[in-house]
Amino acid sequence: MNWALRKAIFSLAAWFLAVSISILIIVLSPGDPALIMLTGFLQQGIPYDQAVRMVQAYIGFSPAEPWWSKWLRYLLGVVTGNLGVSITYRIPVAQLIANAIPWSIFFVSYSLSLTVILGVLIGIALAYYRSNTIFVRSVTTVLTVFNSIPNWILAAVFFVYIGARWQLLPYMGPYSNDVTPGLNLQFIASVLYHYTLPTMVMVLTSIPGWAFGISAMASAILKEDFITYAKARGLPSSRILWTYITRNSILPIYANIAITFTWLLVGTVWLESQFLLPGLGSLLATTSGARDYPVMIGVYVILITAIVLGALFTDLTYGFIDPRARVGET
Amino acid sequence: MSEKSRNLAKQLKLVFKIFSRSPTLLFSLVVLLVYIIAALVVVLGFVPPLPPYKGGWEYMYQPPSLRDFPWYILGTEYTGRPLLLTIIYGIPKTLAVAFLSALITVGVGTAIGLIAGYVGGLVDELLSLAINVALTIPTYLLALILVVILPPELKTNVLVLAGVLSITAWASLARAVRAQTIALKRREFIDVAKTIGYGSWKIMFDEVLRFMAPFIAMNLVLSCVGAIYGYTGLAFLGLMPMTPDNWGVQIYMAIRGGGALYSDKAILALWSPIITIVLLQYALINIAKAMEDIFNPALRTYLQGEEM
């Protein structure tokens, strides 16, 4: 358990530094949001003292104080759950974020599990049927093409064609208007149906990395002596495939789950806004367009927190799956 | 000297062998070459200047025509300018941002990884901490915030954009270079170099770096892919200056302003920039993969052994 505690403390330190450095970069850059907001208020004819107080109320720090005091004050706000007030919605940023979080958790974890499962299956198939050149060539070509399509482009194309033009799948909003949100079967079915297209985009653009990684691992393992020995012992090939090859191929790239999680989380900025879904990504995208700085920085900090938690979770579960990780230096 | 040139010839022969084996790779190289030539043609001024903005529905998204051949063969875009011309004007700027950003990413990543891995001790502890913190900050996320808050005159600066798009992108390369440096440090030739009296800097940036050159070259290409993703993707969100020569802005306008949702009027304006981006990314990813093959020692010995 000592090992888990050390991991947690290390993550906390990384989170603190990442948030601090980001805040300092934002505050020290030529576009300090507090100053931009102050200029905006002054242009509206608001007296200077009142404008300074308004900026402080919205974003949590005043444009007049030195950089270290802005940083400390904002960090204190983050720790106490006070992220300022949204300029466009006029409600606390923390409340906006709390409403958005469940949607993003659902979208990202749904896409992540599908990506990993399908990616592993395709990767194992690529390695197992490697003698079938036509199969390997065609699958590899398709994967490379999807690897080269940015996820926001695939989202735009699916939105325009599968959604708006051909009307094959829902392409706007998280559920249809005729269901009542809550824990009923109709609502859940409607949400899953509406998230089909966005999830397809997420999964199709993130599968190649997993498939290529797993297939490289599995190809190496297939050449190992213990596979030959297992075959010689007459073990059924399904057992060799799942217990011997698949499990050993996943272990070395298990940590990639955290990387894919981060990648999908960042992807929500484009995908949630494209398909008009609620969530952290669309909140960031819409408030960026409206220059709503308190919300932007608040969502940014929450996303960093989610990434640190995702990495910690991956590390801890990996330690339980593979005890060797617990004694290693990392 | 002759030993060196013979080695070089051998390496070139190997590179040629890998290229000739794969038609996709050959295709990718031709594609990249076309983009580079197009960029040079624009930079050297062989392309007519962009005509002025023409407002009004009648000028937007006109169908293809043979007027001023070949510039109007894709019709016009949302500002009434010829689409083909705006796409070609996007090439030098996109390539410049991508290449500069890749240079910064790879330069910083390699230097930090090498120093952390080779020097070790407290320096390694501090640099490793910096790498781990940077790894938790996704580049496009911080880049998005910075692109929004930076004043407009900085947002159009190629160097600033390149810096923003590589702000924490160097971290994963730094981690990999550090691990490889630690492994290489234990090899005998480093001890030999030390005994001869080579300084730390010479060993790091000459002896150790030489072994990682193909890996670093591969990362240079992959960093270009990442920078193009960020540059066009942030423009698609409407956060970059709305210049007509950004492919992300062109796709954004085709969907939001061109009615691509309901009609085929802007179909060329939607698909031309999409194909331009995907083709470039596809070519770069294939070239990076080939470099990985050159880097992969097993495959290299296999190909060299076949030659003998």
Side-chain angles (χ1 to χ4, degrees):
Chain A
M1 267 303 75
N2 203 359
W3 148 85
L5 192 68
R6 221 174 45 234
K7 282 271 178 210
I9 292 171
F10 181 80
S11 296
L12 190 68
W15 174 85
F16 174 78
L17 284 172
V19 171
S20 297
I21 289 169
S22 309
I23 298 299
L24 289 179
I25 290 177
I26 290 169
V27 164
L28 290 173
S29 81
D32 177 3
L35 274 179
I36 301 177
M37 283 169 69
L38 180 70
T39 329
F41 288 141
L42 290 177
Q43 276 166 359
Q44 290 169 27
I46 298 166
Y48 182 82
D49 288 339
Q50 197 192 336
V52 169
R53 265 181 282 125
M54 279 169 71
V55 171
Q56 171 134 22
Y58 275 124
I59 204 166
F61 51 82
S62 118
E65 56 190 331
W67 59 268
W68 53 268
S69 148
K70 288 177 184 167
W71 160 66
L72 270 181
R73 216 192 274 267
Y74 192 81
L75 216 57
L76 202 70
V78 171
V79 174
T80 54
N82 176 14
L83 295 168
V85 178
S86 160
I87 302 171
T88 33
Y89 302 103
R90 311 257 165 178
I91 56 172
V93 174
Q95 197 184 322
L96 274 173
I97 289 175
N99 293 339
I101 282 180
W103 290 105
S104 289
I105 288 182
F106 160 68
F107 186 25
V108 170
S109 51
Y110 185 38
S111 317
L112 181 65
S113 29
L114 282 177
T115 300
V116 174
I117 293 169
L118 291 174
V120 168
L121 287 180
I122 295 173
I124 294 288
L126 271 181
Y128 199 71
Y129 298 110
R130 66 197 179 290
S131 50
N132 186 343
T133 341
I134 298 169
F135 171 74
V136 172
R137 278 253 170 101
S138 46
V139 172
T140 310
T141 309
V142 172
L143 287 177
T144 314
V145 169
F146 275 114
N147 212 3
S148 350
I149 304 178
N151 50 9
W152 58 269
I153 286 189
L154 196 65
V157 169
F158 277 13
F159 178 82
V160 170
Y161 285 93
I162 299 182
R165 298 290 290 277
W166 302 334
Q167 302 276 341
L168 295 176
L169 282 168
Y171 59 102
M172 280 198 279
Y175 50 84
S176 53
N177 292 327
D178 51 2
V179 296
T180 41
L183 269 180
N184 56 68
L185 207 64
Q186 269 178 327
F187 174 68
I188 295 170
S190 176
V191 167
L192 283 177
Y193 186 45
H194 275 74
Y195 271 83
T196 311
L197 202 53
T199 309
M200 259 164 69
V201 176
M202 280 282 203
V203 172
L204 282 174
T205 46
S206 9
I207 275 184
W210 274 86
F212 286 139
I214 289 280
S215 125
M217 287 293 159
S219 307
I221 288 166
L222 275 164
K223 291 186 197 115
E224 295 273 349
D225 291 337
F226 68 84
I227 300 290
T228 322
Y229 180 59
K231 279 183 193 157
R233 272 161 63 207
L235 286 182
S237 53
S238 65
R239 186 170 149 84
I240 298 179
L241 192 59
W242 296 118
T243 337
Y244 282 56
I245 299 169
T246 309
R247 261 176 66 176
N248 284 309
S249 317
I250 296 173
L251 271 186
I253 57 173
Y254 182 80
N256 283 9
I257 288 181
I259 298 170
T260 311
F261 172 72
T262 306
W263 176 241
L264 296 180
L265 204 59
V266 175
T268 61
V269 176
W270 281 272
L271 267 68
E272 285 179 351
S273 50
Q274 178 72 71
F275 294 104
L276 303 180
L277 304 170
L280 292 171
S282 55
L283 192 58
L284 183 58
T286 46
T287 50
S288 298
R291 305 285 190 270
D292 192 341
Y293 301 108
V295 188
M296 281 172 61
I297 302 174
V299 174
Y300 175 83
V301 169
I302 295 300
L303 288 174
I304 297 285
T305 313
I307 289 163
V308 171
L309 285 178
L312 179 65
F313 178 77
T314 319
D315 269 0
L316 291 182
T317 48
Y318 185 57
F320 284 114
I321 299 169
D322 187 354
R324 283 175 300 180
R326 272 180 264 177
V327 287
E329 56 186 47
T330 42
Chain B
M1 210 55 216
S2 69
E3 173 71 15
K4 239 183 188 169
S5 59
R6 206 174 327 141
N7 243 332
L8 191 72
K10 213 169 156 189
Q11 288 229 315
L12 281 178
K13 217 169 172 183
L14 178 70
V15 170
F16 179 75
K17 202 156 188 179
I18 291 175
F19 283 155
S20 58
R21 258 166 194 257
S22 156
T24 12
L25 183 57
L26 216 61
F27 169 76
S28 303
L29 280 174
V30 171
V31 167
L32 187 63
L33 203 67
V34 168
Y35 278 82
I36 291 173
I37 291 173
L40 285 178
V41 165
V42 174
V43 170
L44 294 177
F46 289 127
V47 174
L50 275 182
Y53 166 75
K54 271 192 246 167
W57 287 105
E58 66 273 26
Y59 298 113
M60 280 171 75
Y61 300 115
Q62 280 171 358
S65 74
L66 289 176
R67 173 160 61 112
D68 287 340
F69 190 79
W71 305 116
Y72 282 88
I73 53 167
L74 292 178
T76 63
E77 37 80 275
Y78 68 100
T79 59
R81 297 179 171 106
L83 179 61
L84 180 64
L85 202 55
T86 56
I87 285 189
I88 290 179
Y89 263 98
I91 295 176
K93 197 165 174 201
T94 310
L95 286 190
V97 170
F99 189 66
L100 270 175
S101 165
L103 272 187
I104 299 173
T105 305
V106 168
V108 173
T110 310
I112 289 185
L114 263 181
I115 294 170
Y118 189 81
V119 177
L122 184 67
V123 176
D124 182 27
E125 298 268 324
L126 285 176
L127 289 179
S128 292
L129 183 68
I131 293 172
N132 278 318
V133 170
L135 277 173
T136 59
I137 307 176
T139 306
Y140 308 126
L141 206 55
L142 189 50
L144 186 153
I145 306 271
L146 287 176
V147 160
V148 173
I149 64 177
L150 284 181
E153 67 270 20
L154 284 180
K155 266 191 265 191
T156 43
N157 185 321
V158 172
L159 201 60
V160 173
L161 277 177
V164 165
L165 288 171
S166 47
I167 192 139
T168 57
W170 50 270
S172 53
L173 176 66
R175 188 172 60 172
V177 168
R178 174 183 170 270
Q180 287 185 34
T181 309
I182 291 174
L184 279 171
K185 213 167 74 171
R186 302 198 190 104
R187 301 261 291 267
E188 304 87 5
F189 72 94
I190 298 295
D191 289 329
V192 173
K194 274 187 198 155
T195 328
I196 299 173
Y198 281 8
S200 300
W201 289 101
K202 183 162 169 57
I203 295 178
M204 263 195 279
F205 285 94
D206 196 359
E207 301 298 316
V208 177
L209 202 58
R210 185 186 309 220
F211 271 81
M212 286 186 254
F215 178 68
I216 288 164
M218 178 186 92
N219 271 279
L220 195 71
V221 178
L222 286 180
S223 302
C224 286
V225 175
I228 294 168
Y229 173 89
Y231 177 65
T232 52
L234 291 176
F236 179 73
L237 284 178
L239 302 178
M240 291 276 197
M242 296 300 264
T243 48
D245 59 359
N246 188 317
W247 303 324
V249 174
Q250 292 169 2
I251 301 172
Y252 173 89
M253 288 311 295
I255 293 177
R256 298 227 176 17
L261 294 183
Y262 315 105
S263 72
D264 280 336
K265 196 179 174 211
I267 193 165
L268 282 170
L270 174 68
W271 281 100
S272 308
I274 287 181
I275 291 169
T276 313
I277 295 172
V278 173
L279 210 56
L280 180 56
Q281 301 289 67
Y282 179 76
L284 289 173
I285 286 176
N286 271 318
I287 291 168
K289 250 194 191 158
M291 286 173 164
E292 197 182 6
D293 290 347
I294 299 173
F295 178 58
N296 183 345
L299 188 74
R300 193 169 50 198
T301 38
Y302 166 70
L303 282 175
Q304 270 172 347
E306 203 178 56
E307 190 181 334
M308 280 183 240

